Amino acid sequence: VQPQASGGGLVQPGGSLRLSCTTSGRTFNVYGIGWFRQAPGKEREFVAAIAGSGLTYTANSVKGRFTISRDNAKNTVYLQMNSLQPEDTGVYYCATSTMFSSQANRYDYWGQGTLVTVSS
């Protein structure tokens, strides 16, 4: 169930991006999927998570701007990011877990990350 993140890029402040996280396997719908990000020189931080049931949890720092969703038929989780700010810049990783958690150590498999740069 190695996840793969995509959709990053360069965007101006106030702009939007949608990240995708795809995995393989017939049991995709039982997994919790989390998004984390790491800015240069900073520690990795939790962004959002979604359970197999569709229950979601979003970090306070992005609440109201970022939305996580999933399409089980496509084995894909999305992170819609609106009103992006320079402080949102970083490498965004998705990861899979048998749990629904904001803790990185609860996630078993990590993707390679996709770079998001917010700059004018």
Side-chain angles (χ1 to χ4, degrees):
V1 289
Q2 187 72 34
Q4 291 186 320
S6 62
L10 173 64
V11 63
Q12 292 185 341
S16 298
L17 280 176
R18 188 177 76 161
L19 305 184
S20 299
C21 177
T22 58
T23 70
S24 60
R26 295 176 294 176
T27 56
F28 172 80
N29 61 335
V30 305
Y31 287 101
I33 305 292
W35 282 100
F36 296 79
R37 67 185 181 186
Q38 188 164 20
K42 294 187 177 181
E43 294 187 353
R44 182 175 51 190
E45 66 171 345
F46 169 76
V47 177
I50 187 165
S53 64
L55 182 67
T56 64
Y57 178 59
T58 306
N60 288 336
S61 59
V62 302
K63 193 168 293 183
R65 301 188 297 122
F66 291 13
T67 303
I68 188 170
S69 62
R70 67 191 298 158
D71 185 338
N72 289 335
K74 295 182 178 180
N75 282 11
T76 301
V77 166
Y78 302 101
L79 184 68
Q80 178 67 44
M81 306 186 296
N82 299 327
S83 301
L84 284 161
Q85 300 301 317
E87 53 265 34
D88 296 316
T89 294
V91 178
Y92 283 69
Y93 300 90
C94 66
T96 63
S97 175
T98 55
M99 304 179 188
F100 176 56
S101 176
S102 63
Q103 303 301 311
N105 60 9
R106 300 296 178 91
Y107 287 81
D108 306 302
Y109 296 96
W110 292 77
Q112 81 287 359
T114 185
L115 177 63
V116 172
T117 303
V118 185
S119 176
S120 55

